[in-house]
Amino acid sequence: MSEKMIGERIAYYRKKAGMSQEKVAEYMEVSRQAVTKWEGDRSKPSSDNLIKLASLFDIDVEVLLGNKDDNSPTTGDSVTISKAPWIFIGISFVVLLLYIIVGSVMKNISPGTVITGFVVLIPIQLFLHLYFTYSIKNESFNGLAGYDSKISYDLNVLKKILTHIDLNIGMSSTVFIFLSCAVDFLHLGSIAFIVVFIAYIVDLVASVLVNNYRMIDKLYRNDEDKERARKGMPVFVVYLILLLAGLLVTIIVFEEKKIDNNTAPAMKVITLTILGMLFATGGYAFENRNITKWKPEESIYKISKISILGALFSLALFGLILLV
């Protein structure tokens, strides 16, 4: 790094810390244009600003000035990408293959299970593992749900979270494929399959939430971002519960009342379900925006009335499904 101009070093360590120019400017109490000029070597930060920059990037001032080499490990060197997801993908493939062979012999095979496994689940396992691997290796996280380039993260911690989620997706998908095949062989019916599927979805979402919640203090560099993340967790959990409640009520009504597809009652149930989910999603989106704009240092967090109304309308619509 010693041969670089100071502007290049500022840009290098800013990106390494996972910060945008706006975040650096906010911390330094200067304009974003000032940071841009520093990085372009069109102006030089003062001595005080150099000290603040070094503190922000967690490096020595001499390293930032180029007078001392940075011997600390890079974020990419400290995170190892697990090979376990490849093993789970292989197990999923073998389980489905055995299901086809045994099912063909016993004349007990469901085309839906085969299609779901080979066309949906295994490709999703493979795609997500490759995507997470690419994101970790290239420090490219913009495509990840919930990632905000304006927030400063500890990239090393973010990579660890991704490796944990990647591993859990592989394991959960393999278990789900095995249980799906078992449900078919044991003739447990569609309700059992739906229960297994919902458990699979809940497990995936819980994995993301738990990993993020446990790492909040380490993942976010800014205290305000930490507070926003903590407030966002229960809001998302309520949103997920609403969606699952709507899905369960819909399934129960279809099964218990023996409603056929493409009939008037079926259209009513589906319409109410979609409307309920739309209200839940609208309320969640509005509250998420409310949390993003909230400034913990200036005010106490208050949930918006619009979000509460969205949740209540959603519950009311799901309740109406029972009356169809």
Side-chain angles (χ1 to χ4, degrees):
M1 290 295 297
S2 58
E3 75 278 3
K4 292 183 181 293
M5 299 290 286
I6 188 170
E8 290 183 74
R9 285 191 289 274
I10 293 173
Y12 171 81
Y13 286 109
R14 173 179 64 78
K15 293 174 183 177
K16 184 178 179 181
M19 298 182 183
S20 63
Q21 288 186 337
E22 288 82 358
K23 273 294 176 184
V24 173
E26 181 183 333
Y27 177 84
M28 299 296 295
E29 298 181 340
V30 298
S31 66
R32 186 187 63 79
Q33 289 76 11
V35 177
T36 301
K37 289 180 179 179
W38 292 346
E39 294 187 358
D41 283 311
R42 295 195 298 275
S43 67
K44 305 293 182 185
S46 65
S47 298
D48 288 342
N49 282 337
L50 279 172
I51 293 172
K52 288 181 71 175
L53 283 169
S55 174
L56 178 62
F57 300 148
D58 196 23
I59 58 174
D60 194 285
V61 176
E62 293 299 313
V63 172
L64 193 59
L65 289 170
N67 299 328
K68 181 180 178 182
D69 289 334
D70 181 9
N71 296 319
S72 62
T74 63
T75 53
D77 294 333
S78 56
V79 177
T80 302
I81 299 172
S82 174
K83 294 181 180 179
W86 285 112
I87 297 173
F88 286 123
I89 291 170
I91 294 173
S92 296
F93 184 84
V94 171
V95 168
L96 280 172
L97 200 59
L98 289 173
Y99 170 77
I100 293 172
I101 295 171
V102 177
S104 298
V105 173
M106 297 176 62
K107 296 182 179 181
N108 180 24
I109 187 170
S110 168
T113 300
V114 177
I115 293 172
T116 301
F118 280 118
V119 178
V120 180
L121 288 176
I122 290 181
I124 287 177
Q125 276 184 277
L126 181 60
F127 170 78
L128 290 177
H129 177 57
L130 292 175
Y131 183 74
F132 287 153
T133 300
Y134 172 84
S135 297
I136 292 169
K137 286 184 175 179
N138 296 279
E139 297 188 355
S140 175
F141 308 107
N142 288 325
L144 296 175
Y147 181 82
D148 187 345
S149 59
K150 295 180 180 179
I151 294 176
S152 16
Y153 302 91
D154 185 320
L155 294 188
N156 197 43
V157 174
L158 180 56
K159 291 176 183 179
K160 288 180 180 178
I161 290 175
L162 291 183
T163 57
H164 292 161
I165 294 173
D166 185 23
L167 183 61
N168 193 79
I169 287 174
M171 181 170 58
S172 297
S173 297
T174 300
V175 170
F176 174 67
I177 288 174
F178 174 80
L179 291 177
S180 299
C181 295
V183 166
D184 278 345
F185 276 130
L186 297 174
H187 302 288
L188 297 180
S190 58
I191 291 293
F193 177 83
I194 291 167
V195 169
V196 170
F197 177 72
I198 291 176
Y200 168 66
I201 297 299
V202 170
D203 177 71
L204 293 184
V205 175
S207 169
V208 175
L209 290 176
V210 170
N211 275 291
N212 276 279
Y213 188 78
R214 288 174 55 194
M215 296 290 193
I216 281 178
D217 287 328
K218 295 179 181 179
L219 177 61
Y220 299 93
R221 294 177 178 271
N222 188 294
D223 287 338
E224 288 196 348
D225 291 331
K226 293 177 183 178
E227 287 300 315
R228 293 189 189 101
R230 289 192 181 94
K231 294 300 181 184
M233 290 286 180
V235 172
F236 181 77
V237 170
V238 171
Y239 171 61
L240 178 65
I241 290 173
L242 283 174
L243 294 186
L244 290 176
L247 182 62
L248 280 173
V249 169
T250 302
I251 293 168
I252 290 171
V253 168
F254 264 94
E255 290 292 326
E256 292 297 319
K257 296 188 177 183
K258 307 297 181 183
I259 298 176
D260 293 325
N261 295 329
N262 301 318
T263 61
M267 293 300 103
K268 289 180 181 179
V269 170
I270 295 299
T271 300
L272 290 171
T273 302
I274 293 174
L275 287 174
M277 289 185 173
L278 284 175
F279 272 106
T281 302
Y284 169 71
F286 189 88
E287 192 56 34
N288 195 47
R289 185 168 174 268
N290 183 39
I291 292 171
T292 302
K293 289 187 172 183
W294 172 54
K295 295 183 178 180
E297 293 183 355
E298 297 179 4
S299 62
I300 297 173
Y301 170 73
K302 293 181 180 179
I303 189 168
S304 67
K305 293 180 181 179
I306 293 178
S307 303
I308 294 174
L309 286 174
L312 291 176
F313 275 124
S314 176
L315 283 173
L317 288 165
F318 292 150
L320 287 175
I321 294 174
L322 296 171
L323 302 178
V324 173

